[in-house]
Amino acid sequence: MDVTTAMLTRRSEQLLLDPAPDDNEFTYLLKVAAAAPDHGRLRPWRWVLVRGDDRDALGACFAEEAQEGRQAQVISKVQRAPLLASLVFSPVQGHKVPEWEQLAATSGMAHALMLLLHARGFGSIWRTGTLVHSPRARRLLDLADGEDLLGWLYIGTPVPDTTRKRRELCDVSGRLTTLSALTSAGSGGGRM
């Protein structure tokens, strides 16, 4: 699959079935995704893979913090995909590359990984929510001080019967300006 097709056909998949990439395939795809722009090549991230019975432990962790009567619903959410890849942001403190740029590099890597998964026939959906701030989840996933949980990439095989249309290209002309147009127009505009 070429990059343009991957960009225009990838969707967040709500229902994901087995199989998911095994640890070796995930590692390979992550090596490729790590080629995304990363000033200083800091790799300010790490992944914690949660699959099989480990999803029950994560679900139980979530249930402990769920509102009364919502525990079963929260527990069932971790069963929506065979693999939950937990993305941990691990910024390099005190580095000349500012933390915001390290977060941008982490986001670029995650997006590249989602495109690679799609190109391989896997589906994914990014999930966040209040549980990224959960002290219990932080302990379970062994987050250190200074690290942040950015969410979970739910990964598996999409339902094969689902029709996926190519995304329509949007009009970006209102978001594109040239410097020469700005300087010739004075302080007034210069949008293309």
Side-chain angles (χ1 to χ4, degrees):
M1 179 182 303
D2 66 90
V3 176
T4 302
T5 300
M7 290 288 296
L8 294 176
T9 59
R10 193 210 68 79
R11 296 285 186 279
S12 293
E13 300 287 348
Q14 300 293 326
L15 182 58
L16 295 160
L17 312 170
D18 276 315
D22 63 21
D23 290 352
N24 289 334
E25 187 170 13
F26 185 90
T27 300
Y28 172 75
L29 294 173
L30 184 56
K31 286 178 183 180
V32 177
D38 183 352
H39 186 189
R41 295 184 181 166
L42 299 177
R43 312 292 186 258
W45 44 262
R46 64 186 181 89
W47 292 89
V48 180
L49 302 183
V50 182
R51 62 173 89 235
D53 293 341
D54 290 342
R55 293 177 300 170
D56 295 334
L58 185 61
C61 174
F62 291 168
E64 290 177 26
E65 295 187 20
Q67 294 175 351
E68 189 65 36
R70 296 206 41 199
Q71 289 87 357
Q73 180 184 12
V74 171
I75 289 171
S76 71
K77 287 183 178 185
V78 299
Q79 302 299 326
R80 290 181 181 171
L83 172 60
L84 281 65
S86 314
L87 180 54
V88 178
F89 178 50
S90 301
V92 178
Q93 302 295 325
H95 197 276
K96 69 177 184 175
V97 176
E99 190 169 310
W100 72 263
E101 194 171 338
Q102 295 181 49
L103 182 58
T106 301
S107 299
M109 175 276 307
H111 184 242
L113 181 60
M114 292 170 78
L115 291 172
L116 289 163
L117 287 161
H118 174 60
R120 286 276 178 109
F122 295 109
S124 63
I125 186 169
W126 189 250
R127 302 254 185 216
T128 59
T130 59
L131 292 171
V132 298
H133 305 293
S134 161
R136 288 180 177 97
R138 289 183 61 85
R139 281 192 301 277
L140 181 68
L141 299 170
D142 197 30
L143 269 68
D145 289 341
E147 290 186 321
D148 289 308
L149 182 57
L150 297 183
W152 292 268
L153 191 57
Y154 283 51
I155 303 169
T157 300
V159 176
D161 298 341
T162 306
T163 303
R164 290 165 188 83
K165 297 179 185 175
R166 287 174 71 95
R167 292 182 191 273
E168 292 188 26
L169 298 178
C170 61
D171 179 12
V172 296
S173 60
R175 301 198 173 271
L176 182 61
T177 308
T178 64
L179 181 58
S180 59
L182 288 173
T183 57
S184 67
S187 63
R191 300 218 187 268
M192 298 172 76

